[in-house]
Amino acid sequence: MLSSLHSPRHLLLHHRYPTLPLPSKPLSSSSPKSLHTSHSQTLPLSPPPPQSPTPTSQILTTRESLLARRTTALDLAETFLRGLRRTEPHLHSFLHVSDAVLKEAEEIDRKIERNEAVGPLAGILVAVKDNICTADMPTTAGSRVLEGYRPPFDATAVRKLRESGAIIVGKTNLDEFGMGSTTEGSAYQVTANPWDLSRVPGGSSGGSAAAVSARQCVVSLGSDTGGSVRQPASFCGVVGLKPTYGRVSRYGLVAYASSLDVIGCFGSSVADAGILLHSISGHDRFDATSSKRQVPDFTSQFISKDFLESKPLKGLRVGVIRETLDDGVDPEVISSIHGATSHLEELGCTVTEVSLPSFSLGLPAYYILASSESSSNLSRYDGVRYGNQVAADELNSLYEHSRAKGFGSEVKMRILMGTYALSAGYYDAYYKRAQQVRTLIRENFKDALDKNDILISPAAPSAAYKIGEKKNDPLAMYAGDIMTVNVNLAGLPALVLPCGFVEGGSNSLPVGFQLIGAAFEEEKLLKVGHIFEQTLQGCNFIPPLVADDFA
Amino acid sequence: MGSRALLLLRATPPRTTDLNLNSSFFSKSLNFQNRVRSYSVRSGLDPPDLPRLAENARISLTPREVEEFALKIQKVVDWYLSLSLCVCVFGQLQAVDLQSIQPAIRADTDGGNFRDDLPETFENREAMISAVPNYEEPFIKVPKVLNKE
C-alpha cells in the first residue's frame, strides 16, 4: 500500500504524486474523455503555485487512482470517515452517518479487482440533504414530525447515484423542510460554518455545503427552492449548482414549494458539480415536471488550463444585473463581484450592465408562492400514515396536536401565512398577483438573456453572518434571499463559484458569485465556471479547520 | 412608520419591535406603507385572524404562539401587500400594469410529461405499512371523527 494514500490531499493536488505512473488510457469509456486525457497529459508538467492550488476534480482523480490501483475505495472511505469524525463535533453537518460506507467501499474494490466495469462515481463519498429520501437511512427533512422516519424507497436522484457507484455517506442537516437560510431552523442541531464556527453555513442546505467545504465528503446533494444551494455555497466557499427546473427528477424530494423546488449539487470544483449533475439528471416517469431533453456530458468540453488561449472566453457576452449591486449589499461583496467581472473581462468576455426592472418584486412574490404551496404540500403531515402521531380522542385533535408538536415555529408560520394568502377572497391579491410577477420576471430574464450569454450577480447580499444574528427577525432573513429567488421563479440554471474573501473578524470569509444562464444551458455555465476557477489567482478555498490536512 | 401602518390596519397594540432592516429592497416597499393601508381598506382585506388560520391549517397554537406569530405574520403580510400595490406604486415606476399579465403557475420549462393513468403496485408495501403509527390489518386506525359544526 502506498503511504501517500492516508490523506485525501494527494487526490486534491496533482503535484503531490507527479512521479507515479499514470494510466496510459482511461480504463472505462464512461468517464469524460477530454478532461481525463488533458489531466493525464498535464499532471507531471504543471505544479500549481503553492499558495493557491487550482481546484481539481476529486471525482476524476479518485477514479484515476482507483483504476490505476494506486489506492483502494476502502482506504479512501476510511480517510474520509476519519476526517468526518474529527470535524463533526465542531460542525454538526450530519443528522445521520451511514454504517454501510466501508462495506460498500469494499464492494467497489472487489469489482475493480475482478476488472468489472464500475460506474463514473465508483467509490465517491456523497452526502445527501436529509429532505431527499433514502431507503436505508432515516429521512427527517430536519423536522420532528418525521423523526426516525425511514422511507420505503430511494429518491430517483439517490437511486441514480447508487447506480453510478457512489457511496452515500450520510444525511445532512437543513432548516426544517428547507424553510430557512441559516440551517438554524433544524429541529435537531445547528450546523457551524467551517470557516468560522461562530457563523452560520447558510441554508437551507447548510449541512451539505459545510460537509463539502470541510472535506467530510467529496460532493453532496442539496435542494434549492429559493437559493438553498447557492447561498450556502457562497457562505462556505464551495461550488453550488442549481439546475434548470425539470432537469433533475424530484421524485423522493420532500416537497416544499413544488413550482420552485429543484435538487442541486455541491462540489469543491466546477467539474465535480458538473459530473454529479450529469449522474442525477434526466427524465423520470415518476416526476411529470422532469424534462425529456437529452442530458449533455456537461464536462466533456472542459479545457485544461494549460491548453487555454489567452482569451478563452472571447466573445462571451456577460450581463451584470444592476439591481443586485444596490445599496443594501455589503460593499465588500460588491467589490468581490467587481473583481470577478474584471477577471471575466481579462478572459475575453464583454461585460455590460443589464437591468431586470421587476427584480425587487421577486422577493415578496417568492414568499407568497412558497408559503402558499407549503401550506398545501405540508398538509400531508397529519400523523396518520407516517411520522409522529399525538394520541387524541378525536381525529381533528389528532391532526392539530400532531402538527403542533411536530412542526417548528418557522414552519408553522409559513403554513399559516400560506393559509392566509390562499383564503377565499385573498387569492387575487396575493397568490395570483405573485404569479403575475413570476411572468414579469421570466420576461425580464428572457430579454436580458437574449442580449447576453450569461448574467452575473452576487449569491447573497453578505458573507456568512453570526449564528443567532437574524434568528428572530423573519424579514431580515428573507431579505438575504433577494439574489437567488428570482432565478427559481424563472426556473433557470445558476452556478455559484467562490471568487474572493471578505473580512469577518478573526477569520476571512469566502464570497461566491452567481452565474445565471438560459434554461437547460448548464453546460455553458459550467464551461465558463471551469475556466474562471482554473484561472483565478491567489485564492485557496479550503477552510482553516481542515487546511492542515491539505497543506 | 411600519407600526403606524399597523395601527391603521387593525385595532391591536402597536408593535414594539422595529423592522430594523438595512436592506434597500425592503425600505423601498416599506416606504409605501401608507398606501398599503389605503389599498387594504379599499380592497377590504382583513388582517390575519390567527385562531381561524390555525384551525384551517389544523395546527393547535398555544396562547404564547398566537401572540408571537401574530406580530411576525402581520409584519410579513404588510410586506406582501406592497406587492398588491405594485400596480399603483411600482407600476408608475415601471409603466407596467399587472392586470394584463398572465399568471405563470411555474417555470416555463419542459414538463407535463404525465405517465399513463394506470394503477401500479408499489414494490415495498411492507415498509410503507410499517411506517403507519396505528395499523390494524387491513386498516389504518384513527380516533372517532367528530363534526364540530
Side-chain angles (χ1 to χ4, degrees), chain A residues 4-63:
Chain A
S4 67
L5 300 172
H6 291 293
S7 162
R9 71 181 172 212
H10 303 292
L11 299 167
L12 288 170
L13 307 177
H14 282 142
H15 66 287
R16 288 287 166 176
Y17 51 93
T19 54
L20 289 175
L22 292 159
S24 54
K25 59 171 100 160
L27 296 179
S28 158
S29 58
S30 58
S31 61
K33 279 204 186 81
S34 67
L35 247 188
H36 215 113
T37 315
S38 59
H39 272 259
S40 313
Q41 285 167 352
T42 57
L43 269 181
L45 303 172
S46 61
Q51 290 308 311
S52 62
T54 308
T56 52
S57 167
Q58 289 189 69
I59 294 177
L60 292 180
T61 49
T62 301
R63 186 178 181 79

Side-chain angles (χ1 to χ4, degrees), chain A residues 234-255:
Chain A
S234 177
F235 282 16
C236 292
V238 296
V239 176
L241 175 58
K242 176 220 172 280
T244 310
Y245 186 82
R247 179 63 95 184
V248 178
S249 165
R250 286 104 46 88
Y251 180 66
L253 170 68
V254 174

Side-chain angles (χ1 to χ4, degrees), chain A residues 487-510:
Chain A
V487 176
N488 295 81
L489 290 170
L492 302 177
L495 178 68
V496 166
L497 291 182
C499 67
F501 290 94
V502 303
E503 279 305 308
S506 51
N507 301 308
S508 56
L509 301 168

Side-chain angles (χ1 to χ4, degrees), chain A residues 439-460:
Chain A
T439 303
L440 284 181
I441 285 162
R442 224 159 66 179
E443 287 168 359
N444 280 185
F445 269 118
K446 194 179 177 304
D447 290 346
L449 284 164
D450 281 345
K451 298 185 192 93
N452 295 280
D453 295 299
I454 55 169
L455 305 177
I456 299 285
S457 83

